[in-house]
Amino acid sequence: MTKYEFQVSDPQSGQRIDKYLSSMMGDFSRSYLQKLLKDGQITINGQTARPSSKTAAEDKIEVLVPDLAEPDIQPEDIPLDILYEDSDLILVNKPKGMVVHPAAGHSGGTLVNALMFHCKGQLSGINGITRPGIVHRIDRDTTGVLVVCKNDNAHSSLASQLKSHSITRRYRAIVHGVLKEDGIVNAPIGRHPIDRKKMAVNPKNGKEAVTHYHILEPLRNFTYMECELETGRTHQIRVHMASIGHPLLGDEVYGPSKCPVKGLHGQTLHAMVLGFIHPVTGEYMEFTAPLPPYFTDLLTILRSP
């Protein structure tokens, strides 16, 4: 644990505590300092500071920064489909069946294991030692583009863009049934009231969730569509489409327990487009991950007479 001590001068009074500390502790991102605030690691005149606290002249501020724990994750030489990479970011096209980060039952073979090897451990630490670099996730059986951060400043910027819903995220999906027109699902998502491993539309305890969907092509008893996320809740597209009676093809959690397509494992969902403002250059960048072979093969089958 490292202690930092500051005394507020007259010109610095009246600032939010996180803004003040961000100017005094340039090596730490504001997101990380806000986490320290929530964890009670920052005091003003001996009293625990709150995120809304403001500075006053002569205030004595103490910040306790825990020693960084090295992630106990083994780097693995797993091939990555890299769409773009620079000193701040790396964008990858995640394959079907790959878990994003280690968790119970998945200690190895994850995207993070592969990134630890490729990036030589240089990944942001804001999301904790089990999720280095990870700003957002996609499910194990969802394919497509994912952005990973190499430092905390980049991570803070991308996290802020996610929070303000300014990141472009467009997915391709195949759902049960034939939809007649484009639409929007605006329904809060939270934990399922009975099955805690599932998410559900939950007006009482859910968080705002908005999905726009656009019909691309009817396919016999299915519909090929594009979904654009306004928000990014866990299993959002899967839950929303199931809630309107059109679950994703292959989704055994939110759809039929028996998949009508032999050999298909997991939902047909692909994160195709991701766009955001680069955290350093300020330039808007957009990346596209092509549909995986299993998806294009499935479209061919469903299009046949």
Side-chain angles (χ1 to χ4, degrees):
M1 190 80 72
T2 304
K3 181 191 288 186
Y4 296 81
E5 298 179 309
F6 306 97
Q7 184 162 345
V8 179
S9 64
D10 284 335
Q12 297 169 317
S13 64
Q15 297 183 28
R16 273 178 55 114
I17 184 66
D18 58 339
K19 184 177 180 182
Y20 167 79
L21 289 174
S22 184
S23 66
M24 301 298 291
M25 303 172 68
D27 290 339
F28 298 90
S29 69
R30 190 179 293 191
S31 292
Y32 182 70
L33 294 170
Q34 289 169 342
K35 184 178 185 302
L36 292 179
L37 275 167
K38 291 179 182 177
D39 293 344
Q41 302 288 356
I42 298 173
T43 61
I44 302 176
N45 301 322
Q47 301 296 314
T48 302
R50 294 176 298 176
S52 60
S53 296
K54 291 189 176 182
T55 58
E58 305 303 321
D59 276 349
K60 292 182 179 178
I61 297 174
E62 290 187 357
V63 182
L64 295 177
V65 177
D67 296 330
L68 287 176
E70 290 295 324
D72 186 21
I73 300 171
Q74 294 302 313
E76 296 180 34
D77 188 5
I78 301 170
L80 289 170
D81 182 0
I82 298 172
L83 302 173
Y84 173 83
E85 183 175 11
D86 62 24
S87 58
D88 300 289
L89 306 169
I90 179 170
L91 284 99
V92 298
N93 182 12
K94 189 189 83 65
K96 197 174 186 68
M98 176 180 266
V99 175
V100 171
H101 61 77
H106 299 284
S107 60
T110 73
L111 179 63
V112 164
N113 292 101
L115 289 165
M116 290 288 288
F117 181 90
H118 178 82
C119 299
K120 311 228 174 352
Q122 294 186 355
L123 297 167
S124 65
I126 291 177
N127 249 351
I129 61 173
T130 61
R131 304 179 187 182
I134 302 302
V135 188
H136 66 124
R137 294 173 290 169
I138 53 180
D139 299 331
R140 178 182 64 185
D141 288 323
T142 299
T143 55
V145 60
L146 196 74
V147 61
V148 178
C149 294
K150 294 184 177 182
N151 55 66
D152 285 357
N153 285 332
H155 192 129
S156 178
S157 173
L158 267 294
S160 294
Q161 292 179 58
L162 279 167
K163 188 175 182 180
S164 65
H165 307 157
S166 63
I167 288 184
T168 301
R169 284 174 292 174
R170 294 199 294 271
Y171 288 68
R172 293 293 174 89
I174 300 173
V175 301
H176 285 267
V178 178
L179 285 124
K180 302 293 185 182
E181 57 187 7
D182 299 347
I184 301 172
V185 184
N186 186 344
I189 290 176
R191 286 288 168 193
H192 193 285
I194 299 172
D195 187 345
R196 305 302 291 175
K197 293 181 181 179
K198 294 172 62 174
M199 308 300 289
V201 169
N202 190 330
K204 185 177 179 180
N205 299 311
K207 293 182 179 180
E208 178 193 20
V210 182
T211 303
H212 300 253
Y213 60 88
H214 170 64
I215 298 168
L216 297 175
E217 183 182 355
L219 300 163
R220 284 190 269 169
N221 298 321
F222 305 97
T223 303
Y224 177 37
M225 66 194 310
E226 180 175 85
C227 295
E228 184 162 3
L229 295 181
E230 228 180 89
T231 55
R233 306 304 174 201
T234 301
H235 298 174
Q236 179 170 317
I237 294 173
R238 299 168 64 187
V239 171
H240 270 173
M241 297 315 299
S243 76
I244 62 170
H246 296 280
L248 270 62
L249 176 59
D251 193 338
E252 297 178 356
V253 176
Y254 300 103
S257 58
K258 186 175 181 181
C259 180
V261 177
K262 186 177 180 181
L264 177 62
H265 300 287
Q267 66 277 357
T268 47
L269 186 62
H270 177 69
M272 193 161 196
V273 177
L274 184 69
F276 53 86
I277 302 294
H278 192 283
V280 175
T281 67
E283 174 189 1
Y284 178 76
M285 309 178 78
E286 194 167 280
F287 302 90
T288 300
L291 287 171
Y294 95 88
F295 204 120
T296 54
D297 290 347
L298 184 55
L299 286 173
T300 300
I301 293 170
L302 296 177
R303 284 167 178 154
S304 62

